[in-house]
Amino acid sequence: MKKTIKLSLLLIFVCATAFMNPLKAQMTTADHAALAKKYQDAYNKKDDKAMLAMYTKDAIRMTPDSAVANGTEAIGKEFAEEFKHSTATLEITPQNTMEKDGSSIGTGTFHVTGTNDKGEKIDVMGTYTNTMAKENGEWKIAKSVLGKMN
């Protein structure tokens, strides 16, 4: 009888703990690399709709010049402007994937080359730190902070 009570109490404790601390989705290195590749491919195709699908609705994007776009509508406008008459191509190199405060964070570098809408040469290298969230079973960017290296 005592064993049954102890087992019951243990089971109740385990179940209660599981419901109070639900498991958070963790991004793997492979998930990070796949999202970076998908993003790079969409950018190089100038497919702003595919890129926006990789952001959460209330995403924040900060560019190296500290401009901030809040939400997919504002981010979409940035990409539409950036892609006008541009021949720029993007290369992304994912570096680290980590969990911090219940969030999945991916970091890496990017390199954009080509010409802008004015025909001026582009050759920009930088870093990124993306905070990702899982929506409908798919990893999306909730916050993106870009830093310029050159």
Side-chain angles (χ1 to χ4, degrees):
M1 179 76 167
K2 286 185 180 182
K3 284 185 182 180
T4 304
I5 292 172
K6 286 182 181 179
L7 285 174
S8 296
L9 290 174
L10 179 62
L11 182 60
I12 290 169
F13 175 75
V14 169
C15 289
T17 302
F19 287 114
M20 288 188 304
N21 298 311
L23 295 175
K24 292 188 167 51
Q26 293 186 341
M27 176 174 253
T28 66
T29 300
D31 293 330
H32 179 199
L35 183 62
K37 173 79 168 108
K38 185 176 173 183
Y39 192 95
Q40 176 181 286
D41 291 348
Y43 184 97
N44 291 337
K45 291 176 185 173
K46 309 297 183 252
D47 187 348
D48 56 326
K49 288 180 182 29
M51 292 182 71
L52 287 180
M54 289 181 255
Y55 285 90
T56 61
K57 186 177 182 177
D58 58 349
I60 297 169
R61 182 172 186 259
M62 183 182 290
T63 60
D65 61 357
S66 299
V68 177
N70 291 300
T72 53
E73 186 176 330
I75 294 169
K77 285 181 183 178
E78 281 187 358
F79 286 130
E81 281 299 311
E82 190 173 329
F83 291 158
K84 279 185 184 176
H85 312 290
S86 171
T87 67
T89 58
L90 171 67
E91 182 181 340
I92 298 175
T93 306
Q95 292 177 336
N96 295 308
T97 307
M98 63 192 117
E99 301 299 315
K100 184 175 180 182
D101 300 329
S103 297
S104 292
I105 300 170
T107 62
T109 60
F110 67 87
H111 189 187
V112 179
T113 57
T115 58
N116 65 16
D117 60 341
K118 297 174 185 148
E120 301 165 335
K121 184 180 175 185
I122 300 171
D123 189 358
V124 177
M125 295 175 68
T127 60
Y128 70 87
T129 300
N130 289 340
T131 303
M132 272 77 70
K134 211 160 197 181
E135 275 188 358
N136 301 321
E138 190 176 352
W139 285 106
K140 295 193 175 193
I141 302 167
K143 183 177 181 183
S144 184
V145 178
L146 307 173
K148 195 172 176 181
M149 293 182 348
N150 67 345

